[in-house]
Amino acid sequence: MRNILENMDSCVGCSACAQRCPRQCISMVPDDEGFLIPLIDEKRCNDCGLCKKVCPVLNTDGNNPGDAGQAGYPKAWAAWSTDDGIRLNSSSGGLFSMFAESCLLRGGTVFGAAFDKDFMVRHTGISKLSDLDSLRRSKYVQSDISQCYREAEKRLKEHRPVLFSGTGCQIAGLMSFLGKPYPELLTIDVVCYGVPSPKVWSLYLDDMKKRYKGDIASISFRDKKNGWKNYCMYIGFQNGRFYRRTAVKDTFFIGFGKNLLSRKSCYSCHFRHPRSQADLTLADFWGAERLKGIDTLDNKGVSLVIANTPKGQATLDSIREKCYLMETSFREAALGNPRVTESAPMPRSRALFFDDLIRGMRFSSLRRKYMNPFVQTLKLSAKRIAGPRFIERLKKLKRV
Ligand SMILES: Cc1cc2nc3c(=O)[nH]c(=O)nc-3n(C[C@H](O)[C@H](O)[C@H](O)COP(=O)(O)OP(=O)(O)OC[C@H]3O[C@@H](n4cnc5c(N)ncnc54)[C@H](O)[C@@H]3O)c2cc1C
């Protein structure tokens, strides 16, 4: 079967090709691992080549606004919203909400990732402040962009403000889809560990529904009841029961942390710094306590904001009064957060995990074999008691 990329493992699933196809003969369908890939209806395709022209993977040298001619960028900041409600209901310091509010108050549309009615993750556009909470907080699953590039383009052509947020590859997809800069567009990407498989997420949810004997009412990947640094997976059920586990003890987070669940293209991502194409980049500022004058003892969350372009910087300046900001250097920020510039490596067990998944291994068995909270707790306790060097020695012994 002919496809847009010779090696489909490098496809990021942004769907720029499907949304740009003038004959609409490309559909996005899940592959065996559960990630969306383009499928061309060859009978209707007339080989116009537009799909290749807008593919961000084939055009990685595209219009990177952080590139040439913008001396002095990127600049980095530790930041948080002075509104505690927003900060506590966000993954890190709540900076995304500040940018989103500013766009919405100017009559604009904000695009970002939200849960649908089945708690699968989809991009959507909102234009009311009351809908902003649906985009808040990271959902650690690859989101389906649906028709959002087209919707954003429609608004931009009407000269209406648009804030588009997403992972680096989704922003790169948008930029190649649009093909030209728009003054009313502000783009924000998140520093990204990798996007986990929607299929694994759906199996995890089915498992949780069975265990808690109820349908799901709400989910937060970044519940801060135990603080920002000890964040929890929270799932509320319609029967009134709830599940709350720190990330180190939750099955899905263990798989995510071991980097078992990400899309293959994430392990050699082309859209991190210095190739981010967004005006602003957001992340957790892990290790913010290293910075002089920052007190993270309240444990409510600190964002890392990277201004990649003068437009990003101007937007940051415009929200200054509503947040705490401390300038640092890009180097300092990247030092404490390797995912700013480097992809997480692919573990050998990823292939085994997906082989088992595709062969139909039950989720409970996958959980026991690959994402076992008991084993994880043992490892952490051993690390705490014996120190990381002991664990390294054990690993070496295992290899022999
Ligand atoms: C898949 C993923 C992996 C990440 N990995 C890291 C990491 O390794 N290190 C790190 O420091 N930070 C990482 N982040 C970023 C971090 O979790 C926060 O999103 C960031 O600190 C912004 O937080 P905030 O408090 O400003 O706003 P929040 O309100 O928490 O941010 C919400 C923003 O995240 C976007 N978003 C949420 N889920 C998705 C999704 N599935 N796909 C695309 N966009 C999404 C929303 O559209 C919105 O723009 C990751 C985020 C995601 C989505």
PDB file of all heavy atoms in Angstrom, residues 71-87:
ATOM      1  N   ALA A  71      17.760  37.200  16.778  1.00  0.00           N
ATOM      2  CA  ALA A  71      18.891  37.134  17.699  1.00  0.00           C
ATOM      3  C   ALA A  71      18.427  37.224  19.150  1.00  0.00           C
ATOM      4  O   ALA A  71      17.491  37.944  19.469  1.00  0.00           O
ATOM      5  CB  ALA A  71      19.851  38.275  17.388  1.00  0.00           C
ATOM      6  N   GLY A  72      19.112  36.495  20.004  1.00  0.00           N
ATOM      7  CA  GLY A  72      18.798  36.590  21.421  1.00  0.00           C
ATOM      8  C   GLY A  72      17.747  35.608  21.898  1.00  0.00           C
ATOM      9  O   GLY A  72      17.552  35.462  23.095  1.00  0.00           O
ATOM     10  N   TYR A  73      17.038  34.955  20.993  1.00  0.00           N
ATOM     11  CA  TYR A  73      16.019  33.991  21.398  1.00  0.00           C
ATOM     12  C   TYR A  73      16.582  32.594  21.262  1.00  0.00           C
ATOM     13  O   TYR A  73      17.433  32.368  20.434  1.00  0.00           O
ATOM     14  CB  TYR A  73      14.749  34.167  20.556  1.00  0.00           C
ATOM     15  CG  TYR A  73      14.030  35.427  20.952  1.00  0.00           C
ATOM     16  CD1 TYR A  73      14.286  36.626  20.304  1.00  0.00           C
ATOM     17  CD2 TYR A  73      13.158  35.414  22.026  1.00  0.00           C
ATOM     18  CE1 TYR A  73      13.671  37.797  20.715  1.00  0.00           C
ATOM     19  CE2 TYR A  73      12.531  36.589  22.439  1.00  0.00           C
ATOM     20  CZ  TYR A  73      12.796  37.771  21.778  1.00  0.00           C
ATOM     21  OH  TYR A  73      12.193  38.917  22.193  1.00  0.00           O
ATOM     22  N   PRO A  74      16.139  31.630  22.056  1.00  0.00           N
ATOM     23  CA  PRO A  74      15.049  31.702  23.016  1.00  0.00           C
ATOM     24  C   PRO A  74      15.461  32.231  24.384  1.00  0.00           C
ATOM     25  O   PRO A  74      16.607  32.133  24.780  1.00  0.00           O
ATOM     26  CB  PRO A  74      14.614  30.230  23.139  1.00  0.00           C
ATOM     27  CG  PRO A  74      15.825  29.449  22.826  1.00  0.00           C
ATOM     28  CD  PRO A  74      16.645  30.267  21.866  1.00  0.00           C
ATOM     29  N   LYS A  75      14.448  32.792  25.076  1.00  0.00           N
ATOM     30  CA  LYS A  75      14.650  33.256  26.450  1.00  0.00           C
ATOM     31  C   LYS A  75      13.780  32.410  27.375  1.00  0.00           C
ATOM     32  O   LYS A  75      12.697  31.985  26.973  1.00  0.00           O
ATOM     33  CB  LYS A  75      14.241  34.723  26.560  1.00  0.00           C
ATOM     34  CG  LYS A  75      15.175  35.606  25.772  1.00  0.00           C
ATOM     35  CD  LYS A  75      14.905  37.063  26.006  1.00  0.00           C
ATOM     36  CE  LYS A  75      16.010  37.857  25.315  1.00  0.00           C
ATOM     37  NZ  LYS A  75      15.654  39.175  24.963  1.00  0.00           N
ATOM     38  N   ALA A  76      14.278  32.181  28.576  1.00  0.00           N
ATOM     39  CA  ALA A  76      13.538  31.261  29.451  1.00  0.00           C
ATOM     40  C   ALA A  76      13.172  31.912  30.778  1.00  0.00           C
ATOM     41  O   ALA A  76      13.911  32.766  31.294  1.00  0.00           O
ATOM     42  CB  ALA A  76      14.383  30.028  29.700  1.00  0.00           C
ATOM     43  N   TRP A  77      12.028  31.484  31.319  1.00  0.00           N
ATOM     44  CA  TRP A  77      11.500  32.055  32.555  1.00  0.00           C
ATOM     45  C   TRP A  77      10.942  30.961  33.452  1.00  0.00           C
ATOM     46  O   TRP A  77      10.379  29.985  32.969  1.00  0.00           O
ATOM     47  CB  TRP A  77      10.338  33.016  32.237  1.00  0.00           C
ATOM     48  CG  TRP A  77      10.679  34.056  31.223  1.00  0.00           C
ATOM     49  CD1 TRP A  77      10.785  33.873  29.869  1.00  0.00           C
ATOM     50  CD2 TRP A  77      10.987  35.424  31.460  1.00  0.00           C
ATOM     51  NE1 TRP A  77      11.121  35.044  29.248  1.00  0.00           N
ATOM     52  CE2 TRP A  77      11.246  36.026  30.217  1.00  0.00           C
ATOM     53  CE3 TRP A  77      11.045  36.207  32.614  1.00  0.00           C
ATOM     54  CZ2 TRP A  77      11.581  37.355  30.084  1.00  0.00           C
ATOM     55  CZ3 TRP A  77      11.363  37.536  32.489  1.00  0.00           C
ATOM     56  CH2 TRP A  77      11.638  38.100  31.231  1.00  0.00           C
ATOM     57  N   ALA A  78      11.086  31.164  34.757  1.00  0.00           N
ATOM     58  CA  ALA A  78      10.317  30.376  35.720  1.00  0.00           C
ATOM     59  C   ALA A  78       9.088  31.231  36.006  1.00  0.00           C
ATOM     60  O   ALA A  78       9.212  32.444  36.175  1.00  0.00           O
ATOM     61  CB  ALA A  78      11.118  30.168  36.990  1.00  0.00           C
ATOM     62  N   ALA A  79       7.910  30.615  36.048  1.00  0.00           N
ATOM     63  CA  ALA A  79       6.703  31.444  36.162  1.00  0.00           C
ATOM     64  C   ALA A  79       5.540  30.689  36.779  1.00  0.00           C
ATOM     65  O   ALA A  79       5.486  29.466  36.694  1.00  0.00           O
ATOM     66  CB  ALA A  79       6.294  31.929  34.770  1.00  0.00           C
ATOM     67  N   TRP A  80       4.636  31.442  37.398  1.00  0.00           N
ATOM     68  CA  TRP A  80       3.364  30.871  37.794  1.00  0.00           C
ATOM     69  C   TRP A  80       2.302  31.938  37.889  1.00  0.00           C
ATOM     70  O   TRP A  80       2.609  33.122  38.054  1.00  0.00           O
ATOM     71  CB  TRP A  80       3.470  30.085  39.108  1.00  0.00           C
ATOM     72  CG  TRP A  80       3.883  30.845  40.324  1.00  0.00           C
ATOM     73  CD1 TRP A  80       3.099  31.654  41.096  1.00  0.00           C
ATOM     74  CD2 TRP A  80       5.185  30.843  40.943  1.00  0.00           C
ATOM     75  NE1 TRP A  80       3.829  32.144  42.151  1.00  0.00           N
ATOM     76  CE2 TRP A  80       5.109  31.661  42.092  1.00  0.00           C
ATOM     77  CE3 TRP A  80       6.396  30.208  40.659  1.00  0.00           C
ATOM     78  CZ2 TRP A  80       6.189  31.876  42.934  1.00  0.00           C
ATOM     79  CZ3 TRP A  80       7.471  30.421  41.492  1.00  0.00           C
ATOM     80  CH2 TRP A  80       7.365  31.245  42.610  1.00  0.00           C
ATOM     81  N   SER A  81       1.067  31.491  37.785  1.00  0.00           N
ATOM     82  CA  SER A  81      -0.061  32.408  37.869  1.00  0.00           C
ATOM     83  C   SER A  81      -0.225  32.848  39.321  1.00  0.00           C
ATOM     84  O   SER A  81      -0.092  32.035  40.236  1.00  0.00           O
ATOM     85  CB  SER A  81      -1.333  31.689  37.407  1.00  0.00           C
ATOM     86  OG  SER A  81      -2.459  32.419  37.813  1.00  0.00           O
ATOM     87  N   THR A  82      -0.546  34.137  39.518  1.00  0.00           N
ATOM     88  CA  THR A  82      -0.765  34.599  40.893  1.00  0.00           C
ATOM     89  C   THR A  82      -2.162  34.186  41.373  1.00  0.00           C
ATOM     90  O   THR A  82      -2.491  34.362  42.546  1.00  0.00           O
ATOM     91  CB  THR A  82      -0.607  36.128  40.989  1.00  0.00           C
ATOM     92  OG1 THR A  82      -1.323  36.709  39.894  1.00  0.00           O
ATOM     93  CG2 THR A  82       0.851  36.545  40.922  1.00  0.00           C
ATOM     94  N   ASP A  83      -2.973  33.645  40.473  1.00  0.00           N
ATOM     95  CA  ASP A  83      -4.295  33.134  40.858  1.00  0.00           C
ATOM     96  C   ASP A  83      -4.122  31.672  41.286  1.00  0.00           C
ATOM     97  O   ASP A  83      -3.903  30.777  40.454  1.00  0.00           O
ATOM     98  CB  ASP A  83      -5.234  33.243  39.639  1.00  0.00           C
ATOM     99  CG  ASP A  83      -6.636  32.733  39.937  1.00  0.00           C
ATOM    100  OD1 ASP A  83      -6.776  31.821  40.776  1.00  0.00           O
ATOM    101  OD2 ASP A  83      -7.581  33.234  39.317  1.00  0.00           O
ATOM    102  N   ASP A  84      -4.229  31.430  42.600  1.00  0.00           N
ATOM    103  CA  ASP A  84      -3.986  30.084  43.127  1.00  0.00           C
ATOM    104  C   ASP A  84      -4.963  29.045  42.578  1.00  0.00           C
ATOM    105  O   ASP A  84      -4.609  27.880  42.417  1.00  0.00           O
ATOM    106  CB  ASP A  84      -4.092  30.095  44.653  1.00  0.00           C
ATOM    107  CG  ASP A  84      -2.713  30.200  45.288  1.00  0.00           C
ATOM    108  OD1 ASP A  84      -1.734  30.373  44.528  1.00  0.00           O
ATOM    109  OD2 ASP A  84      -2.625  30.105  46.526  1.00  0.00           O
ATOM    110  N   GLY A  85      -6.194  29.488  42.306  1.00  0.00           N
ATOM    111  CA  GLY A  85      -7.195  28.561  41.753  1.00  0.00           C
ATOM    112  C   GLY A  85      -6.708  28.003  40.422  1.00  0.00           C
ATOM    113  O   GLY A  85      -6.730  26.794  40.177  1.00  0.00           O
ATOM    114  N   ILE A  86      -6.225  28.903  39.554  1.00  0.00           N
ATOM    115  CA  ILE A  86      -5.732  28.475  38.241  1.00  0.00           C
ATOM    116  C   ILE A  86      -4.488  27.603  38.408  1.00  0.00           C
ATOM    117  O   ILE A  86      -4.362  26.537  37.799  1.00  0.00           O
ATOM    118  CB  ILE A  86      -5.416  29.712  37.361  1.00  0.00           C
ATOM    119  CG1 ILE A  86      -6.725  30.393  36.952  1.00  0.00           C
ATOM    120  CG2 ILE A  86      -4.597  29.323  36.141  1.00  0.00           C
ATOM    121  CD1 ILE A  86      -6.553  31.637  36.126  1.00  0.00           C
ATOM    122  N   ARG A  87      -3.604  28.040  39.275  1.00  0.00           N
ATOM    123  CA  ARG A  87      -2.324  27.327  39.444  1.00  0.00           C
ATOM    124  C   ARG A  87      -2.566  25.889  39.926  1.00  0.00           C
ATOM    125  O   ARG A  87      -1.975  24.931  39.401  1.00  0.00           O
ATOM    126  CB  ARG A  87      -1.485  28.101  40.459  1.00  0.00           C
ATOM    127  CG  ARG A  87      -0.031  27.705  40.476  1.00  0.00           C
ATOM    128  CD  ARG A  87       0.723  28.631  41.386  1.00  0.00           C
ATOM    129  NE  ARG A  87       2.053  28.171  41.659  1.00  0.00           N
ATOM    130  CZ  ARG A  87       2.754  28.521  42.729  1.00  0.00           C
ATOM    131  NH1 ARG A  87       2.229  29.357  43.623  1.00  0.00           N
ATOM    132  NH2 ARG A  87       3.972  28.054  42.911  1.00  0.00           N
TER     133      ARG A  87
END
